[in-house]
Amino acid sequence: MTKENLSTIRDIHQFEDKTATLQGWVQNIRTSKALVFIIMRDGTGLNQCIVAKDDISEEIWEKANSLTQESSLRLKGEVKKDERSVGGYELHVRDLEIIQLAQDYPITPKEHGVEFLMENRHLWLRSQRQWAAMRVRNQIIFAIHQFFQKEGFIQMDSPIFTGNAAEGTTTLFETDYFDEKAYLSQSGQLYGEAMALAHGKIYTFGPTFRAEKSKTRRHLTEFWMIEPEMAFYDLEMNMDLAENMVIFIVEEVLKNCRNELDILGRDVSKLENVKGPFPRITYTEAVELLTGEKTAALLDSMERSNMDELDSIKKEVPELEAEHGQAKKGRKFQIDRRLKELRARREEVEENLRNIPVWRKSAMEKVWGDDFGGSDETLLTMHFDRPVMVHGYPSAIKAFYMKRDPNDDKVALGVDMLAPEGYGEMIGGAQREDDLDLLLERIKEHNLDEETFKWYLDLRRFGSVPHSGFGLGLERTVAWLCGLSHVRETIPFPRMLGRLTP
Ligand code: 4AD
Ligand code: MG
């Protein structure tokens, strides 16, 4: 088969009422006596292709009938506009070439458990929701580069093999570097500080590693972080930059990823709320909010709505089960689907009801000096319709490099940005300690090896200036914008506790 008029599905509109050739994979296939309906995917979109027995030779008709899910093929035919069809166009097939016939593709249209899907991640990536999430991820990456480049930042690559910790020694992946101890980078920040004193404003965009033993929906062991670092920026300017960056990313995703967000079922009105200024509260105010009446009322209402939902599920399930016996085939299918949905939802609701008392205890017992856990962050974000910045954390729970508040030694000039709808921390940043003696003190306090920080201390010896920066976690940003409940679906091949393959 010739490749004349080769098109992608995305550009097929250019071939309306003309002949076009598409190449891709069978996403779905339906056959009847005289017609074969192929939903084809080619990476740019989905298109319905119709093979009519009367229009083609016996040989092609047989080929069409032998097709299976995920077989690769090339199709040629006439492009007709059709509003009702996926993508808005149909291909009326005249010629068909099978490139490879797939046998027993493991991911069928029926539902699969997440563990099975994770084992088949290399294939799962072809599914529509995964496809959409990866496109949003790509848009976010592009928007981040656009934002920093237009703001005059220089992109830098920081090393992945490092000799020192940046974010606490408990989460380091150790490796052997020709008989020397080396660690996989937890953060490019310290190197970013060096480059900021050479270029003014820089950002890193690279993989970072944390040996986090926590199995949560927010933690990966390998994730991508974007870390801007700016000379002559104080904490306030740092927060302004973080806010502007997030607003820009959200705008670009809303502008360019409508179709993807639609596939993901994302409530875009929630993203449309994300406008400046973002609320900024101190850590002290955050503790007051967590222990105060507003959070108590929020937890009560969460508990009530979960209990109501459980009641209604408990009522609907037996009703549907009773109906199932007499139902016709189509209705049976609907009922099965709904029952599956309800059972999954029931598990979630019951888990919420088990969690709420734990969350309540954690929030209510919070005292100044405690760190926030995942549930505390979730609750905090629920008081706001856009990201909230919490600043001025207790210095004792924050990294060694953070500058202390000149008016209160117990407070560090650090900031976290928490994403709304319960997503929690997506940015951590700070104004850096720029005084040599104070930084030396912190290194000692944190039991860090002064020798390995020798080069870093030089930055305070030779033209030290006030400077600040932050780190944005890419996967948490993707999870939030896509409305995904777990970071495992935000990166092509996630690395987490207990997962190294595929
Ligand atoms: O708050 P973190 O640890 O801050 C830093 O690493 C600083 N050096 C950044 C800086 O100031 N230049 O991490 C920053 C962000 C978090 O807010 C979160 O979004 C993400 O990185 N992150 C993770 N994402 C996925 N899995 C993990 N285990 C993560 N740990 C942090
Ligand atoms: Mg943090």
Side-chain angles (χ1 to χ4, degrees):
M1 196 172 123
T2 61
K3 293 194 207 169
E4 66 176 317
N5 295 338
L6 195 61
S7 177
T8 58
I9 291 171
R10 196 172 77 165
D11 291 335
I12 199 162
H13 58 93
Q14 294 170 5
F15 290 87
E16 189 175 341
D17 296 323
K18 290 195 205 115
T19 298
T21 303
L22 292 176
Q23 39 193 10
W25 298 263
V26 175
Q27 203 229 26
N28 201 351
I29 186 154
R30 254 182 331 118
T31 50
S32 69
K33 267 206 194 92
L35 296 169
V36 173
F37 294 94
I38 303 165
I39 304 283
M40 184 168 179
R41 58 168 197 88
D42 76 343
T44 72
L46 295 179
N47 196 77
Q48 170 149 287
C49 307
I50 299 172
V51 190
K53 194 171 181 190
D54 294 345
D55 292 354
I56 47 157
S57 70
E58 184 69 20
E59 187 201 357
I60 292 176
W61 175 247
E62 255 152 44
K63 276 195 210 167
N65 272 282
S66 74
L67 283 171
T68 51
Q69 193 193 347
E70 287 306 316
S71 287
S72 46
L73 77 171
R74 202 168 280 132
L75 292 176
K76 180 179 297 181
E78 278 129 53
V79 178
K80 294 279 172 223
K81 200 176 169 82
D82 186 337
E83 300 288 343
R84 296 158 308 165
S85 167
V86 249
Y89 292 86
E90 275 179 354
L91 189 81
H92 293 261
V93 177
R94 294 283 173 267
D95 200 359
L96 183 158
E97 181 191 342
I98 296 175
I99 300 170
Q100 194 252 335
L101 208 53
Q103 295 300 338
D104 302 324
Y105 186 68
I107 304 178
T108 57
K110 72 164 194 164
E111 276 171 60
H112 297 282
V114 72
E115 270 312 304
F116 176 83
L117 292 168
M118 289 299 292
E119 279 300 321
N120 287 287
R121 182 66 177 161
H122 51 296
L123 302 175
W124 190 24
L125 287 168
R126 303 177 187 190
S127 303
Q128 245 207 319
R129 286 176 56 84
Q130 303 306 312
W131 176 88
M134 288 305 108
R135 299 242 151 183
V136 176
R137 179 182 168 104
N138 176 66
Q139 176 60 61
I140 294 171
I141 293 170
F142 187 54
I144 290 168
H145 283 295
Q146 278 178 306
F147 175 80
F148 285 116
Q149 294 290 332
K150 81 180 161 62
E151 296 283 330
F153 284 64
I154 296 289
Q155 195 270 339
M156 73 167 274
D157 302 310
S158 55
I160 290 169
F161 283 130
T162 65
N164 47 255
E167 294 297 324
T169 47
T170 53
T171 60
L172 285 170
F173 274 113
E174 196 179 303
T175 167
D176 175 73
Y177 192 75
F178 308 118
D179 299 330
E180 234 186 293
K181 249 190 210 170
Y183 307 101
L184 300 185
S185 177
Q186 294 171 309
S187 156
Q189 178 196 322
L190 307 188
Y191 302 97
E193 289 183 51
M195 274 287 270
L197 298 194
H199 292 271
K201 297 194 287 188
I202 63 88
Y203 68 106
T204 70
F205 199 130
T208 41
F209 305 86
R210 304 270 170 104
E212 307 248 27
K213 286 259 164 68
S214 30
K215 212 170 186 164
T216 80
R217 60 195 177 87
R218 295 174 184 169
H219 287 92
L220 294 164
T221 51
E222 177 181 299
F223 61 99
W224 286 69
M225 189 153 50
I226 296 88
E227 296 184 90
E229 192 70 32
M230 301 75 67
F232 303 106
Y233 268 50
D234 61 14
L235 181 64
E236 203 68 24
M237 296 162 80
N238 201 17
M239 291 197 276
D240 291 343
L241 183 78
E243 177 176 315
N244 290 336
M245 175 194 70
V246 170
I247 290 171
F248 183 77
I249 296 171
V250 173
E251 278 172 1
E252 289 300 299
V253 167
L254 281 173
K255 196 161 78 194
N256 302 314
C257 297
R258 284 288 164 164
N259 178 34
E260 287 82 355
L261 295 173
D262 191 41
I263 290 169
L264 290 162
R266 184 68 170 104
D267 179 355
V268 289
S269 72
K270 296 252 165 61
L271 298 179
E272 279 157 355
N273 282 335
V274 180
K275 300 208 170 78
F278 295 171
R280 298 178 187 189
I281 63 174
T282 63
Y283 166 87
T284 308
E285 287 164 341
V287 172
E288 281 163 9
L289 187 54
L290 279 175
T291 53
E293 271 168 33
K294 267 182 80 182
T295 298
L298 176 71
L299 282 159
D300 287 346
S301 99
M302 277 166 69
E303 191 154 45
R304 229 176 301 119
S305 71
N306 275 285
M307 271 155 52
D308 289 348
E309 195 177 343
L310 186 60
D311 283 345
S312 88
I313 293 173
K314 279 183 178 163
K315 230 178 101 218
E316 193 179 340
V317 168
E319 282 168 9
L320 288 171
E321 282 169 345
E323 192 192 335
H324 195 272
Q326 305 93 336
K328 292 222 176 71
K329 202 170 155 211
R331 175 67 187 147
K332 258 201 172 84
F333 183 76
Q334 271 181 343
I335 294 176
D336 283 337
R337 183 155 249 175
R338 178 76 185 141
L339 279 171
K340 205 172 265 170
E341 234 173 67
L342 287 173
R343 289 192 185 115
R345 187 63 199 149
R346 179 175 176 156
E347 268 175 41
E348 277 172 32
V349 169
E350 282 174 342
E351 191 182 330
N352 290 343
L353 286 169
R354 278 192 302 274
N355 279 337
I356 289 169
V358 184
W359 293 8
R360 181 180 278 124
K361 188 164 171 345
S362 169
M364 295 299 146
E365 289 179 358
K366 199 82 12 202
V367 292
W368 204 97
D370 294 346
D371 205 353
F372 295 147
S375 70
D376 303 317
E377 285 176 5
T378 298
L379 288 174
L380 282 173
T381 71
M382 289 177 142
H383 293 290
F384 305 95
D385 67 349
R386 59 196 74 189
V388 53
M389 286 191 262
V390 181
H391 59 91
Y393 281 84
S395 41
I397 56 168
K398 286 291 180 187
F400 77 96
Y401 53 70
M402 290 194 187
K403 192 177 177 66
R404 303 228 172 142
D405 186 335
N407 303 315
D408 187 351
D409 201 46
K410 290 198 301 302
V411 171
L413 297 179
V415 59
D416 280 356
M417 189 192 287
L418 312 180
E421 302 171 69
Y423 280 93
E425 182 191 336
M426 62 169 169
I427 287 179
Q431 185 167 340
R432 320 303 188 191
E433 182 51 74
D434 49 58
D435 180 86
L436 177 64
D437 294 328
L438 290 175
L439 190 56
L440 270 166
E441 248 178 67
R442 303 283 173 265
I443 287 176
K444 287 205 188 78
E445 279 168 16
H446 281 80
N447 290 319
L448 295 166
D449 175 25
E450 199 182 308
E451 191 54 31
T452 56
F453 288 100
K454 213 165 146 270
W455 67 269
Y456 182 63
L457 290 161
D458 270 354
L459 307 176
R460 277 64 178 170
R461 280 193 186 99
F462 305 108
S464 187
V465 293
H467 64 288
S468 300
F470 61 82
L472 170 76
L474 179 60
E475 288 71 24
R476 292 193 189 172
T477 310
V478 176
W480 167 45
L481 294 184
C482 290
L484 297 169
S485 62
H486 199 296
V487 286
R488 66 185 161 219
E489 290 179 45
T490 64
I491 183 167
F493 293 95
R495 296 289 172 256
M496 355 178 243
L497 196 61
R499 166 100 17 229
L500 192 58
T501 55

